[in-house]
């Protein structure tokens, strides 16, 4: 997923990140990649992690003023 000028940039503030989210991590909606994490920042006060998320233009209509971003924990299963 390449960022374009017409994409929608969202700032997300969270007290913690459960799974290994990093710059370049995909943002999923119902299993589809709709964007990427562009930047992560830990402010000097250390209270919240600030994520800059780029949502592709064709999926920007899914965003609302009350959109909630969930950080899903992933895991590996070995048999």
């Amino acid at each position: 997923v390449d960022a374009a000028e017409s994409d929608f940039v969202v700032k997300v503030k969270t007290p913690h990140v459960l799974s290994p989210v990093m710059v370049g991590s995909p943002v999923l909606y119902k299993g589809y990649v709709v964007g990427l994490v562009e930047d992560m920042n830990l402010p000097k006060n250390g209270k919240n992690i600030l994520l800059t998320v780029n949502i592709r233009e064709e999926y920007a209509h899914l965003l609302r003023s009350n959109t909630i971003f969930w950080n899903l924990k992933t895991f590996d299963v070995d048999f």
Side-chain angles (χ1 to χ4, degrees):
V1 179
D2 294 325
E5 270 187 43
S6 58
D7 289 349
F8 196 83
V9 176
V10 179
K11 301 288 186 173
V12 179
K13 181 170 57 172
T14 179
H16 58 278
V17 177
L18 298 176
S19 63
V21 173
M22 58 187 72
V23 172
S25 290
V27 176
L28 304 176
Y29 178 79
K30 296 187 177 184
Y32 290 93
V33 176
V34 297
L36 295 174
V37 175
E38 272 190 353
D39 190 36
M40 291 180 68
N41 187 344
L42 181 63
K44 290 180 183 178
N45 67 15
K47 290 187 177 186
N48 289 297
I49 298 168
L50 300 176
L51 303 172
T52 302
V53 176
N54 184 299
I55 304 297
R56 292 171 49 186
E57 179 183 24
E58 62 263 38
Y59 301 114
H61 69 279
L62 299 170
L63 296 171
R64 305 282 185 262
S65 61
N66 62 346
T67 296
I68 297 173
F69 286 83
W70 295 91
N71 182 6
L72 302 177
K73 176 102 172 121
T74 59
F75 57 91
D76 293 322
V77 177
D78 293 323
F79 292 99

